[in-house]
Amino acid sequence: MSYRIGIVMDPLQGLNTKKDSTLAMMVAAQTRGWQVLAMTPADLFIREGFCMARATPVRVALDQQPWFQADAPCVLPLHELDAVLMRKDPPFDTDYIYTTYLLEMAESAGTLVINRPHSLRDCNEKLFAVQFPQCCPPLVVSSSAAVIREFLAEQGDIVVKPLHGMGGQSIFRIRQGDPNVSVIMETLTHHGQTLVMAQRYLPEIRQGDKRILMIDGEPVPYALARIPGEGETRGNLAAGGTGKAVPLSDRDRWICGQVGPELRRRGLWFVGLDVIGDYLTEINVTSPTCIRELDAQCGLDIGGQFMDCIATLLDQRTR
């Protein structure tokens, strides 16, 4: 069956054609004969009680130049589409939240929206992981410098990060006796006004911060270990890390088994778990990446697997 799929995303012209995971999804949809329509959050609007969009039918061919072709934009209610993928990159700011409200209107009118807008709002990528304490390293979440200092005294070596960050931004490693503790606390907590997360430093980061992709609550069999560069403590590819595909360990699969049912229950059908050593550190629900790297290194078709998941979900809705 042929479907019409809308993708809420960043502008096509600014995407990295060698790495962008959304492009892998678009190619996989095209391969199945589905129509793909691209739109940015600015293309969404409400009229007469419906979520509408100025959508552009596109075709992607990553081995050609120009690498995409776009037809004339059309205006349509989102409920005329079979599914809409929310693939706009963070920041997770007020405008992002407003976009989820609009997408929730389309969902109420009958469109399958992936991931579910309500769950995107509820599941902060740092705090959501805390709901699985059996999987997480020792940590605290607080805006109090005193609480974080006490945690540092207990652990001796910690990582502190903002709850809204992405791509490794504003992540600090602090060791006992560091003369910069006060200024780091003041900067990240805005003098005690903003919550941050502090986790025990995990030396296994030297073997990589593993990104495990989850489709409908089940893991792809390989993770991308993002290995920090020389002198770095962050493995994020955006921070200069190098990606190496590795098979999932027994512990990785156990973590996936702990988290997967809740992802499925919440309608979080495409998610990226971040695992360092034996511990879950984040659950990425907004716009997880690493499809292209894993496909290239392991001969996978993760975008195709995800499209098969969408087809199954749509089929279940029509029974």
Side-chain angles (χ1 to χ4, degrees), residues 110-143:
T111 300
L112 174 66
V113 180
I114 299 174
N115 289 319
R116 286 200 66 198
H118 184 273
S119 295
L120 289 176
R121 293 196 301 272
D122 272 3
C123 298
N124 174 272
E125 300 189 330
K126 311 293 191 297
L127 289 177
F128 188 27
V130 177
Q131 295 190 25
F132 306 93
Q134 71 276 25
C135 302
C136 294
L139 61 84
V140 296
V141 176
S142 178
S143 59

Side-chain angles (χ1 to χ4, degrees), residues 87-209:
R87 289 290 302 175
K88 172 68 175 68
D89 282 342
F92 188 87
D93 53 15
T94 303
D95 286 332
Y96 191 105
I97 292 172
Y98 290 158
T99 301
T100 66
Y101 289 138
L102 268 65
L103 291 174
E104 201 163 35
M105 293 182 67
E107 184 181 50
S108 296
T111 300
L112 174 66
V113 180
I114 299 174
N115 289 319
R116 286 200 66 198
H118 184 273
S119 295
L120 289 176
R121 293 196 301 272
D122 272 3
C123 298
N124 174 272
E125 300 189 330
K126 311 293 191 297
L127 289 177
F128 188 27
V130 177
Q131 295 190 25
F132 306 93
Q134 71 276 25
C135 302
C136 294
L139 61 84
V140 296
V141 176
S142 178
S143 59
S144 166
V147 170
I148 297 171
R149 283 180 177 276
E150 181 180 3
F151 183 69
L152 173 60
E154 294 171 358
Q155 301 297 327
D157 195 349
I158 65 174
V159 169
V160 185
K161 53 190 175 182
L163 297 179
H164 62 276
M166 58 168 289
Q169 295 174 357
S170 301
I171 295 178
F172 290 86
R173 179 184 178 187
I174 308 175
R175 281 165 275 202
Q176 189 70 18
D178 191 320
N180 295 308
V181 171
S182 293
V183 69
I184 292 172
M185 291 298 98
E186 292 167 4
T187 300
L188 288 183
T189 69
H190 298 94
H191 295 274
Q193 301 303 307
T194 303
L195 288 167
V196 299
M197 176 178 285
Q199 294 174 329
R200 184 174 74 193
Y201 173 72
L202 301 171
E204 294 88 348
I205 184 64
R206 291 190 290 269
Q207 283 75 54
D209 181 351

Side-chain angles (χ1 to χ4, degrees), residues 215-257:
I215 298 175
D216 195 19
E218 296 293 334
V220 171
Y222 292 86
L224 192 73
R226 297 162 296 171
I227 302 169
E230 186 67 28
E232 260 287 359
T233 58
R234 301 170 300 169
N236 309 74
L237 300 182
T242 301
K244 178 183 177 183
V246 295
L248 299 188
S249 68
D250 289 343
R251 172 71 178 186
D252 293 337
R253 293 184 180 278
W254 179 81
I255 291 173
C256 294

